[in-house]
Amino acid sequence: MSDLLGVTTERLAVIGNISRDLTRYPDHRGGTRLGGGALLLSLAAAKAGRRAAPVCVLGNDLAHLPEAPELSALDWSARTQADGKSTAFDLEYDLQGELVGVGTNYGVAEELTDHALRHMDLHPRDTYHVCCRRPLDVAAVLGRLAGNAADFSVDFFLPSAEAMIRATARWLPKATTVFVNAAEYRLLEQAIDCATLPEVVITDGPRAAVVRRFGHQVASAVPPPRSPREVSGAGDALAGTFLARRWQGATTAQALAEATAAAADYVAAPPLPIPAPRRG
């Protein structure tokens, strides 16, 4: 356990959405799949050896997920269920894997902020990762975490990143790690002095990912080449792996190399199907 991340508990609680996603590409890749930062980041962390719990709200349509054998590695005790439909995203990408259009129905995730605040009050010793994406009230959540002196990390989603970064800027220097892509980092630089941030992980698709600590680059890694099948969620795979490996004591360079490899493997793998409910 590094002195940068401090003393933490075994469990990583990931605040965010679990969603039904439809991804579309000009070459007819894509389709319906299971997604959402809370799920994909938690799965990556669990695969890398850390106990991970999605702090999420499931609708009636995804209430069966905790029973799915393929998701049994997760700690489902931090989820709640609400009457209604789960979050749904329609994600359109170009051939380079850049997001060009988003359609959203937040569904029961409108209740996520209240659920997350309750969870934080009940479990102040958890380590937290916050997926700073709508409809979460990120100012309320990060304000509570900072007030509790909790260990937390954050990431963003480009379509809402500018607003979310500005809403969270005052608390970001208290985050152990901020995860952004190259475009989000430019927005981050406009909102805050990045030299005040303990750790920023910056990804850039197939190009080198870097780690900056208080403004100084301390590590870089080029993802191994893979033929992409699905790019949505690659950042979650990287962040979950990086956090798990750092918690286990890996150096920054080791964690980044493994995290970029995990993200590359993720984009080359088949999308995660939505499991069918059990019969009987």
Side-chain angles (χ1 to χ4, degrees):
M1 187 63 242
S2 76
D3 57 359
L4 173 67
L5 296 184
V7 177
T8 63
T9 60
E10 179 184 351
R11 182 166 72 171
L12 176 66
V14 184
I15 299 173
N17 300 321
I18 293 182
S19 57
R20 290 177 172 270
D21 292 353
L22 172 63
T23 59
R24 295 182 287 142
Y25 298 82
D27 58 1
H28 306 296
R29 282 179 293 145
T32 301
R33 42 156 275 172
L34 198 58
L39 177 70
L40 299 178
L41 196 148
S42 295
L43 282 172
K47 184 177 181 180
R50 184 162 191 190
R51 180 183 171 198
V55 182
C56 63
V57 184
L58 298 176
N60 298 328
D61 53 333
L62 296 182
H64 63 286
L65 291 187
E67 303 171 0
E70 58 268 45
L71 302 178
S72 62
L74 299 183
D75 174 354
W76 285 102
S77 64
R79 102 291 189 181
T80 191
Q81 182 183 343
D83 190 24
K85 290 188 176 182
S86 300
T87 305
F89 289 104
D90 184 335
L91 304 167
E92 183 179 359
Y93 293 89
D94 64 19
L95 287 175
Q96 288 70 47
E98 299 294 331
L99 187 64
V100 296
V102 181
T104 307
N105 184 341
Y106 294 119
V108 296
E110 297 285 359
E111 301 181 30
L112 177 59
T113 299
D114 288 342
H115 173 57
L117 293 173
R118 285 193 298 270
H119 180 87
M120 289 186 289
D121 288 341
L122 291 172
H123 302 279
R125 293 184 58 80
D126 277 359
T127 299
Y128 287 88
H129 180 84
V130 183
C131 303
C132 296
R133 307 170 192 185
R134 296 185 176 116
L136 188 67
D137 184 342
V138 291
V141 169
L142 265 62
R144 183 72 57 86
L145 288 171
N148 291 346
D151 282 330
F152 68 93
S153 53
V154 301
D155 72 73
F156 299 94
F157 181 48
L158 186 55
S160 61
E162 184 172 11
M164 290 292 181
I165 288 171
R166 294 191 181 281
T168 59
R170 62 178 294 191
W171 293 289
L172 294 183
K174 296 182 180 296
T176 56
T177 309
V178 176
F179 294 91
V180 289
N181 64 27
E184 292 162 353
Y185 185 68
R186 291 190 288 271
L187 297 172
L188 189 67
E189 288 182 303
Q190 295 171 15
I192 191 171
D193 178 2
C194 290
T196 66
L197 301 178
E199 187 171 75
V200 184
V201 178
I202 309 163
T203 59
D204 195 10
R207 293 164 289 278
V210 302
V211 179
R212 295 184 182 275
R213 191 165 295 156
F214 295 110
H216 300 287
Q217 182 172 316
V218 296
S220 67
V222 178
R226 297 284 190 274
S227 296
R229 298 178 62 171
E230 181 63 80
V231 300
S232 177
D236 299 316
L238 183 145
T241 304
F242 183 88
L243 290 171
R245 293 296 291 123
R246 289 289 281 131
W247 175 77
Q248 292 166 339
T251 67
T252 304
Q254 289 171 337
L256 186 64
E258 294 186 38
T260 54
D265 290 343
Y266 172 87
V267 302
L272 189 62
I274 299 174
R278 289 186 178 182
R279 296 181 178 273

